[in-house]
Amino acid sequence: MEDLDTSLYLVIHLKPTRNMYSLKLLFSIYIFAFAKASVDDCTVTQVDEIAKLLEKCDDIQIGDLTVPATGPLPVFNLNGKNLTINGKLSFEPRYDDSQALLTITGRNFFVKNGPNGVIDGQGALYWDGKGILSDRRKPLLVNIDQAKKGHFQSLLIKNCPQTCAEVSRSNDIVISGLNVDVSDGDKDGLAVDTHGLSFVNSSAIDVKNIRIINQGACLLVKQGDSIKVFSVQCIGSEGAIIRPDWTYANHIGNISFEYVFLTRTQAGIRIQTSPHQPSGVIKDVTFLTTQVADTKFRGIDITQDYGDEGHPASNIKITNLNIKSVTGYMTDKYVRAVYINCGNGSCSDWHWSGVNIKKAQVENSCNYIPKGFDCW
Ligand SMILES: *[C@@H]1O[C@H](CO)[C@@H](O)[C@H](O)[C@H]1NC(C)=O
Ligand SMILES: *[C@@H]1O[C@H](CO)[C@@H](O)[C@H](O)[C@H]1NC(C)=O
Ligand SMILES: *[C@@H]1O[C@H](CO)[C@@H](O)[C@H](O)[C@H]1NC(C)=O
Ligand SMILES: *[C@@H]1O[C@H](CO)[C@@H](O)[C@H](O)[C@H]1NC(C)=O
């Protein structure tokens, strides 16, 4: 940019001594030089340049970049800016979960994947088969935090240490074409608790056409409202989950999951609350068209005794839960299509239809009966 300013200055001052033709030529050469320079000048090659690039560029690129184990982690505050990931963005390991490896924040922005773009968390350097119970701290890979009016297109995220991507304290976010691939962690249950995409303290989130291959939750709603997920393929995870965070008062509302296809997952639809968390409410939740294949434990699994098995509590109310059309089949011994274990009086106003999960080996169990559903 500085180059361009200087050039124009020169051109203008030379103008009286040059004819039209050479002026034009000179001008176009400078424009070309500017266009070329701006791409290079706006490509992140070191983390500590990011703030400076954000000041001078509207369109920031990441090429191949390995973030060192020490020093600042990349934080992109993208006010009105675009970010394109064109190469492999990877991170030397940090056994510290106080900050996400990559943070994106700001208002009115657009983030997309370019050719060869991948965000690689190098999970193999962290995985130990113990997930969150390990002494080894494992950072979140991508945090969309305090963002508003942001669009994420076709990101490819691989091998996260723990959670792959979390949307926190954000609203008006669109995530389309996301591809999360933690299939390298399938071996020997190494990568347990690698959640795909989670949501906390966020609203007006629109997710569509995504695919997640992982070991923890495929989708995980911890807190938030007006979250709509449309067309998801989940492979090898725990399932599509609503599970409030344990530590604070919880409100989850207006959640809709449509066309969720789950293959080789623990559960299809799962809602879990703990007797040990503060009171709260989960309401106005819709699952519309869910297909399961080779489900390994429960098709629909709703329990209020998470972390205290056999003692469901009514601290969290689950109301207006609509489930329409759940089809497919289970695999393995001891698999059960539907399990409902509510606290006393805490479940109400559930409407279900078209639940037809085949090849279950154990009878359904329900201590609350949704309207329209015949448990036995
Ligand atoms: C950012 O990308 C969007 C969508 O491709 C485009 O419409 C917009 O003009 C871009 N903005 C900048 C600052 O490059
Ligand atoms: C979500 O909000 C609660 C309540 O304000 C707060 O305690 C918690 O730290 C927040 N979590 C995140 C990840 O923003
Ligand atoms: C529920 O969420 C949808 C987006 O999924 C939004 O369009 C709608 O306005 C929300 N409804 C309420 C009552 O908040
Ligand atoms: C459930 O709650 C009701 C009313 O609060 C009470 O009468 C009943 O005994 C409780 N049932 C159980 C199984 O605790």
Side-chain angles (χ1 to χ4, degrees):
M1 278 228 192
E2 278 154 26
D3 285 354
L4 180 70
D5 290 348
T6 318
S7 328
L8 285 173
Y9 185 79
L10 265 176
V11 169
I12 290 158
H13 282 81
L14 289 171
K15 196 177 172 183
T17 66
R18 298 200 176 251
N19 65 31
M20 232 21 218
Y21 177 76
S22 59
L23 180 65
K24 250 193 197 156
L25 184 68
L26 194 62
F27 195 74
S28 54
I29 286 167
Y30 281 123
I31 292 296
F32 173 72
F34 166 63
K36 190 167 184 296
S38 78
V39 171
D40 294 341
D41 290 356
C42 294
T43 296
V44 179
T45 53
Q46 266 176 292
V47 175
D48 51 16
E49 295 174 333
I50 291 173
K52 227 173 75 194
L53 291 187
L54 285 167
E55 273 174 31
K56 67 170 188 172
C57 303
D58 287 336
D59 205 337
I60 294 111
Q61 319 280 320
I62 304 181
D64 289 338
L65 176 66
T66 303
V67 176
T70 55
L73 282 163
V75 174
F76 288 89
N77 188 356
L78 295 174
N79 287 304
K81 313 274 174 165
N82 284 357
L83 171 67
T84 308
I85 298 162
N86 280 319
K88 178 169 166 178
L89 172 61
S90 66
F91 303 83
E92 288 180 358
R94 298 185 184 221
Y95 303 106
D96 172 4
D97 58 5
S98 59
Q99 190 184 339
L101 296 176
L102 172 65
T103 301
I104 294 168
T105 183
R107 293 174 73 96
N108 269 315
F109 60 85
F110 194 87
V111 178
K112 71 173 194 292
N113 213 44
N116 310 316
V118 53
I119 301 168
D120 186 341
Q122 307 229 60
L125 301 172
Y126 300 81
W127 299 330
D128 54 8
K130 296 180 192 158
I132 56 167
L133 299 177
S134 169
D135 288 337
R136 182 182 279 174
R137 307 320 303 161
K138 301 174 181 122
L140 168 59
L141 180 50
V142 179
N143 192 11
I144 299 167
D145 185 48
Q146 291 188 279
K148 195 174 166 62
K149 289 194 166 55
H151 188 155
F152 295 81
Q153 193 181 66
S154 304
L155 296 191
L156 170 58
I157 300 179
K158 281 192 71 165
N159 295 341
C160 25
Q162 196 163 298
T163 297
C164 296
E166 179 160 287
V167 182
S168 56
R169 302 185 289 179
S170 296
N171 47 65
D172 285 320
I173 303 296
V174 176
I175 298 174
S176 59
L178 172 70
N179 190 349
V180 172
D181 184 356
V182 197
S183 47
D184 290 351
D186 272 340
K187 235 181 297 157
D188 310 322
L190 262 188
V192 285
D193 297 332
T194 47
H195 303 315
L197 177 59
S198 64
F199 309 92
V200 60
N201 298 351
S202 295
S203 69
I205 310 296
D206 186 4
V207 177
K208 52 197 167 197
N209 306 325
I210 71 171
R211 189 180 76 159
I212 296 177
I213 308 175
N214 68 327
Q215 292 74 27
C218 174
L219 298 160
L220 179 59
V221 178
K222 297 178 182 176
Q223 171 115 313
D225 61 87
S226 300
I227 297 170
K228 180 174 177 180
V229 176
F230 182 91
S231 180
V232 183
Q233 213 188 339
C234 297
I235 300 167
S237 64
E238 278 180 64
I241 305 185
I242 296 178
R243 183 166 66 212
D245 246 6
W246 291 45
T247 43
Y248 49 87
N250 297 290
H251 176 95
I252 293 175
N254 191 21
I255 310 294
S256 138
F257 285 64
E258 298 180 16
Y259 298 96
V260 180
F261 303 97
L262 305 111
T263 304
R264 280 187 287 109
T265 57
Q266 287 294 314
I269 295 168
R270 175 173 271 176
I271 299 177
Q272 290 170 318
T273 70
S274 162
H276 303 300
Q277 60 194 163
S279 61
V281 60
I282 298 174
K283 65 169 193 176
D284 308 331
V285 174
T286 301
F287 287 87
L288 181 61
T289 311
T290 306
Q291 266 181 35
V292 299
D294 285 323
T295 306
K296 294 190 246 179
F297 184 50
R298 291 171 183 162
I300 301 177
D301 184 27
I302 304 178
T303 58
Q304 297 207 277
D305 63 351
Y306 187 59
D308 195 352
E309 209 171 320
H311 305 99
S314 50
N315 52 330
I316 303 212
K317 312 290 178 221
I318 305 178
T319 184
N320 194 21
L321 170 64
N322 302 291
I323 296 184
K324 276 184 204 150
S325 180
V326 184
T327 56
Y329 65 95
M330 313 195 65
T331 191
D332 225 332
K333 296 175 205 165
Y334 316 121
V335 290
R336 184 177 242 151
V338 175
Y339 185 80
I340 299 173
N341 192 9
C342 289
N344 184 13
S346 52
C347 295
S348 63
D349 208 13
W350 296 8
H351 306 266
W352 292 15
S353 61
V355 175
N356 184 9
I357 302 167
K358 298 202 187 316
K359 293 206 209 171
Q361 304 294 319
V362 181
E363 270 183 21
N364 290 342
S365 167
C366 309
N367 73 352
Y368 167 82
I369 311 287
K371 291 184 189 77
F373 179 66
D374 186 8
C375 190
W376 300 283

